[in-house]
Amino acid sequence: MRGVIIVLIVIGCSCLHVTACAQDSLRNNPLSIGEATKLAVENSTQLKMSRTHTLLAKQETEIQKLDKLPGLSTSLDYGYLSNADVWNSHFSHHESAGLPHPLTLFSVTATETLFAGDRINNAIRLSTLEEQIAFLQEEKNTTDIKFLVIAQYLDIYRLLNQRNVYINNTRLARQRLKNILSLRSQGMVTLNDQL
């Protein structure tokens, strides 16, 4: 029993280790534009809905194509009939008439559309056009997501550059102030020049 518990603990610890090693969010290197757009496309709920809509449109086209095929339907009904009650016209005399009790109905129906005024072909064309629209909408959404990610990426890059410019400007200002204070201590710069 003790050996089983130790084995379970070792397996649990190894699973936790694998899970902890699989976490990539703690890395210090920045994402490239390609990686950022790839992650955005993979994790976008809007694109998942667009893909689902495209698949539904493809399935609708296949359903419309099925209307060209003949149809076959069957039905089976089973029932039980009770005895019939027979009354006279004044409802004063009652009689029971025996009937066969089981009831079984089986039917087979075959259908085929011979002429529908090009309704089926037009429905297939319409469904194909809706499928193309869904595909183009998915492509547009993918492009929009990529542009949005690239715009955000460039905004972050611009902010990082502004931060670097600010840090360099403050460093240079401190250096100038140090130089001015050094020149003032030597008597080469007045207080007005320092300000």
Side-chain angles (χ1 to χ4, degrees):
M1 182 67 182
R2 185 172 181 210
V4 172
I5 293 174
I6 291 173
V7 168
L8 289 175
I9 289 173
V10 168
I11 290 173
C13 289
S14 65
C15 289
L16 289 175
H17 176 70
V18 169
T19 304
C21 290
Q23 297 297 322
D24 199 22
S25 62
L26 299 176
R27 64 183 184 175
N28 291 328
N29 54 343
L31 288 174
S32 68
I33 290 180
E35 291 172 340
T37 55
K38 180 183 171 197
L39 286 173
V41 167
E42 288 175 357
N43 298 320
S44 173
T45 56
Q46 181 182 6
L47 289 179
K48 288 177 184 176
M49 288 185 343
S50 293
R51 288 183 196 115
T52 304
H53 186 67
T54 304
L55 289 175
L56 288 175
K58 286 180 184 178
Q59 290 176 356
E60 182 65 29
T61 302
E62 295 302 319
I63 289 171
Q64 293 298 330
K65 288 179 182 178
L66 290 178
D67 285 345
K68 286 187 169 184
L69 300 175
L72 180 68
S73 64
T74 61
S75 67
L76 174 66
D77 293 331
Y78 181 79
Y80 181 80
L81 296 176
S82 65
N83 291 332
D85 291 327
V86 180
W87 298 83
N88 66 0
S89 60
H90 302 293
F91 294 106
S92 61
H93 180 66
H94 174 260
E95 222 178 279
S96 259
L99 291 174
H101 295 295
L103 169 70
T104 305
L105 297 173
F106 180 72
S107 65
V108 177
T109 306
T111 60
E112 183 174 7
T113 305
L114 297 176
F115 179 74
D118 215 21
R119 177 186 56 85
I120 296 172
N121 289 333
N122 287 336
I124 292 172
R125 281 189 212 111
L126 177 67
S127 180
T128 305
L129 288 175
E130 288 175 355
E131 181 181 342
Q132 290 173 357
I133 289 170
F135 177 74
L136 291 174
Q137 186 67 34
E138 180 183 345
E139 289 293 317
K140 178 190 172 291
N141 288 343
T142 304
T143 305
D144 289 346
I145 294 288
K146 286 180 180 179
F147 278 140
L148 181 66
V149 168
I150 290 171
Q152 293 293 327
Y153 191 88
L154 292 176
D155 284 343
I156 291 171
Y157 185 72
R158 181 181 50 83
L159 289 172
L160 288 174
N161 281 340
Q162 286 178 352
R163 183 177 142 244
N164 289 339
V165 167
Y166 177 76
I167 289 171
N168 286 338
N169 286 344
T170 55
R171 186 177 47 81
L172 288 174
R174 286 190 184 119
Q175 183 66 32
R176 276 192 223 114
L177 181 62
K178 182 178 159 187
N179 289 342
I180 289 173
L181 290 176
S182 165
L183 290 173
R184 181 154 186 248
S185 66
Q186 294 173 5
M188 299 184 71
V189 175
T190 63
L191 184 60
N192 287 340
D193 292 333
Q194 181 180 346
L195 296 177

